[in-house]
Amino acid sequence: MPILSIRQVSEIVNGELYFSDTQTEHLISSVSIDSRTIFDPESTLFFALKSERNDGHRYVADLVHLGVKTFVVSDYSNEFGKFDRCCFIVVPDTVKALQNLAAWHRAQFDIPVVGITGSNGKTIVKEWLFELLRDWAVIRSPKSYNSQVGVPLSVWNLSRDYELAIFEAGISKPGEMVHLYEIIKPTIGILTNIGEAHQENFTSKEEKLVEKLKLFGSCKSLIYCKDQALVASEIVRNSIHPETKLWAWSFTDERADLYFRKNEIDGGVEILAEFDGLNYQIKVPFQDEASLENVGHCLAFILSLHYARPSMPELFSNLQPVAMRLEMKDGINNCLLINDYYNSDINSLQIALAFLNNHARLPYLQKTVILSDIQQAGIPDEQLYQEVARLLQLNKTNRLIGIGSKIKTYAQFFGLPSSFYESTELFLESFQAADYKQECILLKGARDFHFELISSVLQKKYHQTVLEIDLNVLIGNLNFFRSAILPETKIMVMVKAFSYGSGMAEIARILQFHKVDYLAVAVADEGIELRQAGVDLPIVVMNPEEHSFESMIEFRLEPNIYSEDIFDSFWKVLQQHAVIKYPIHLKLDTGMHRLGFDSADKVERLTEKLLMQEQMVVRSVFSHLAGADEAVHDDFTISQIERFLKLTSIITAKLPYKTFRHILNSAGIERFPEYQFEMVRLGIGLYGVSASGNEQIRSISRLKTCISQIRRIKAGETVGYGRKGKVNNDAEIAVLPIGYADGYDRRLSNGVGWVYVKGQIVPVIGNICMDMCMIDVTGLHAAVGDEVELMGEHILVSKIAETIGTIPYEILTGISQRVKRVYLQE
């Protein structure tokens, strides 16, 4: 990575320098937009990105405390000048500044650079090329870093050690690709395909295709699939540079520049090709069209650019589906397991270590890294493992387990407790479960080392049914709701009921990082669990019970005071413990007729009591809307808000300090943002249910399982208890290991419920059992082990709820805790 002075950076991005200490010459070698990715604060330049939904300037003070000294900002505050030995580069647009710095860095190199774009397949083609080109020193975008900020972060990692670079570029609206072109400046282009993805901001596929083609303005070669009629015709018509060599490949047109003939074989497809007078034969373990198209792009690249080697057939036969995200699972002996074992290179290791660092919290204080040899590093092994050791030390890793002959050779570089094994098999032979207790374990290995075998022994054993939680989607939902309110409006997030079934501690930790203001739980035990998991945010207990008051005080939990009796009881406990100025929250009943003070007289009396004591201070006053999600109740909702204003005015007029007011829930934020007051409460919307059907709010959960057994039954026979599932024709029935004890509602029995398997929606047949259910897979050629989605992208939770006459809350919170939660994050 480059080493630049802060003055050089300022000149490159055309910024204005502000020093708190002009005597210090700051040198930077790393750039960051996310405080979670910072290992070496002294050498990191932080770009405070600002968008409609988030603002990096809010993190500056925390980063200074962490040790970061250099920043690029667009909103310079006088407070920044008070930070000791810090430097700020002020620019009009921090995203543009980041892009300009990356473009400058790219211009320092004269190596082949591959630019990949398209609607689908970008990341897979990039990862497969990385696997296939293992004889070369290749750098590629980490994960799916293909956005306006992901691309410059990827290009920043370019160094003299690499022979080839592969970067992917993604866009979501017109005008974006020109910025990515200036950063990547590819010499070789790959256009994967044009589909429906990210279509919402384009008037047509043609418009989107023309925008994507702007990436290839300076390419010497461009690879595309001739079988895509729109792509083929537009490339011919579009103003591709006349010196660009077009490589059109095809599975159907023998006249294409590269014609690939495919034949289905057991477990995959055989592909035959002829090029430059040589015949090539490869076999791949895929038969679906999308995967074969991605294989075609890779094969066309390797042949047209003359990268073919004798090992090519074996490398193609070993291609595997690409895991786009890290997986987080419960491990044995109260460990937390992070799986990122599908690739291993220095850049993705840094990302994975950042993820490890952010989840090594109570009760997982120890950080263990199980790491294989790193392949295709592009630098000498000695230098590589010195850098690995440096990253582990900066991350404060407690233990390293190295697997492979190369990492073992350089064991002396690692100044921490370590053990080394020549192979995964030797590690497994010596494995003792008792050696792993209450620690956060990162598995980071190249595919050849088959770390899935290690994962299987470290993973806590559950049955096959899992609930996947996409943390990236959760963050996107949070930012959507943030964009609907004013920057100064505070957010309280409801994490009660196991975070609506999603898992309390992990959800709370990520909300804490993203600086929500409050969390709310139902009962004190939930709040205590969060405190024990290291969550520091203020936590409101919505249903406090008198017997838990002392525990609430011990764990700094703030009660919802909804009656005079609760007020008096809590006051008494505070006096017994000599506590003063303890934060509380007041609940008003404006029409829900559940909990709360429901009249002006009661509120007046409460306010007089508040003024007579010093043990409590009111942090907020709030109420619940009864029907904000339905337009038919809008008049009633407005009447609730008016009553809320009247009752709160009694309190705020007499209290000698300010307090927050909040009445909007998720539906209210969407439909009545003008009444956001000083705070809002975000609940079901965060987890993916929109009151208005807004498609920008996406479900974070996917409930899935696998087929346990296939049964073939004759016409007239029945399935399940009570013989309710009668078949009229010969049928194939699949048994799934999920039942009502897992939270799969029995009301979905007998064709009411549907699941998604092998690309089709099929019905539940017969009564759902306690631990199993059955589905009709007739004609699908389903097999034992096939994945089945019961709730997610294809089976929406809102539709499930509507089908059985309930609400999404019940479906989500009803998923049993015996169903394993798996957390995904890019």
Side-chain angles (χ1 to χ4, degrees), residues 389-534:
R390 186 183 76 88
L391 290 176
L392 293 176
Q393 289 164 6
L394 287 172
N395 185 61
K396 298 180 180 178
T397 303
N398 301 100
R399 176 167 59 149
L400 168 68
I401 298 172
I403 298 181
S405 57
K406 289 184 179 179
I407 193 171
K408 184 178 181 180
T409 300
Y410 297 100
Q412 71 273 15
F413 292 157
F414 301 100
L416 70 161
S418 307
S419 54
F420 297 90
Y421 302 86
E422 288 281 346
S423 67
T424 300
E425 290 73 19
L426 290 175
F427 168 80
L428 292 172
E429 287 178 11
S430 66
F431 176 79
Q432 297 290 327
D435 293 338
Y436 304 86
K437 294 179 180 177
Q438 214 159 334
E439 53 197 287
C440 200
I441 305 171
L442 170 65
L443 290 180
K444 184 68 178 165
R447 289 177 183 272
D448 293 351
F449 286 86
H450 299 289
F451 269 24
E452 65 271 16
L453 300 175
I454 299 177
S455 177
S456 68
V457 298
L458 285 171
Q459 182 178 325
K460 187 174 180 179
K461 298 302 183 283
Y462 293 87
H463 62 77
Q464 292 172 298
T465 301
V466 300
L467 183 69
E468 290 183 343
I469 312 296
D470 191 323
L471 298 178
N472 291 92
V473 174
L474 180 137
I475 295 165
N477 291 342
L478 173 64
N479 287 335
F480 170 83
F481 283 98
R482 270 192 167 137
S483 70
I485 61 177
L486 297 171
E488 61 268 24
T489 302
K490 297 185 180 298
I491 297 180
M492 178 185 294
V493 176
M494 313 303 290
V495 293
K496 61 181 180 176
F498 204 52
S499 289
Y500 292 54
S502 300
M504 284 187 62
E506 296 307 330
I507 300 299
R509 287 193 191 105
I510 201 162
L511 292 172
Q512 178 168 274
F513 174 79
H514 284 274
K515 293 187 175 295
V516 304
D517 301 285
Y518 280 87
L519 299 177
V521 297
V523 295
D525 287 348
E526 292 177 331
I528 292 169
E529 181 182 336
L530 292 180
R531 287 286 184 249
Q532 291 173 336

Side-chain angles (χ1 to χ4, degrees), residues 773-799:
C773 66
M774 289 69 69
I775 60 175
D776 188 341
V777 293
T778 305
L780 293 188
H781 306 292
V784 170
D786 282 349
E787 184 177 281
V788 180
E789 177 188 298
L790 300 104
M791 181 186 75
E793 179 183 358
H794 305 94
I795 308 293
L796 300 178
V797 63
S798 56
K799 292 296 183 184

Side-chain angles (χ1 to χ4, degrees), residues 560-578:
N560 162 29
I561 301 299
Y562 56 83
S563 71
E564 202 166 341
D565 288 342
I566 287 288
F567 180 91
D568 291 342
S569 297
F570 193 62
W571 187 6
K572 181 179 180 181
V573 173
L574 291 173
Q575 289 173 319
Q576 290 171 349
H577 288 78

Side-chain angles (χ1 to χ4, degrees), residues 313-331:
E314 180 183 0
L315 293 172
F316 269 101
S317 68
N318 290 330
L319 290 177
Q320 297 294 321
V322 174
M324 303 291 190
R325 298 166 291 190
L326 295 94
E327 279 189 344
M328 188 162 56
K329 304 177 178 180
D330 290 334

Side-chain angles (χ1 to χ4, degrees), residues 653-754:
K654 294 186 176 182
L655 288 182
Y657 49 84
K658 290 184 177 180
T659 185
F660 305 130
R661 300 167 298 168
H662 50 106
I663 193 170
L664 296 187
N665 53 11
S666 298
I669 300 169
E670 284 191 76
R671 303 189 64 241
F672 301 95
E674 64 270 29
Y675 298 111
Q676 60 191 267
F677 301 124
E678 293 80 31
M679 186 152 68
V680 296
R681 293 190 309 278
L682 181 55
I684 194 73
L686 179 71
Y687 305 100
V689 178
S690 168
S692 60
N694 192 313
E695 293 183 358
Q696 294 184 68
I697 301 171
R698 297 167 51 206
S699 175
I700 71 169
S701 304
R702 182 171 181 253
L703 181 63
K704 68 177 188 177
T705 191
C706 296
I707 294 175
S708 298
Q709 188 175 25
I710 301 285
R711 306 300 301 267
R712 291 169 178 81
I713 63 176
K714 298 292 184 181
E717 293 186 337
T718 61
V719 178
Y721 285 120
R723 303 191 66 202
K724 299 294 186 182
K726 185 175 182 179
V727 297
N728 296 319
N729 301 293
D730 291 355
E732 290 186 340
I733 305 302
V735 182
L736 309 180
I738 181 172
Y740 56 77
D742 300 293
Y744 195 53
D745 201 297
R746 196 168 184 271
R747 289 172 287 180
L748 295 166
S749 301
N750 301 306
V752 175
W754 298 75

Side-chain angles (χ1 to χ4, degrees), residues 792-811:
E793 179 183 358
H794 305 94
I795 308 293
L796 300 178
V797 63
S798 56
K799 292 296 183 184
I800 297 174
E802 181 182 336
T803 298
I804 60 175
T806 186
I807 55 177
Y809 299 76
E810 182 181 353
I811 303 297

Side-chain angles (χ1 to χ4, degrees), residues 98-119:
L98 175 63
Q99 293 174 340
N100 289 342
L101 180 61
W104 174 88
H105 182 59
R106 163 68 181 92
Q108 313 308 306
F109 300 91
D110 185 22
I111 62 171
V113 174
V114 183
I116 305 176
T117 192
S119 297

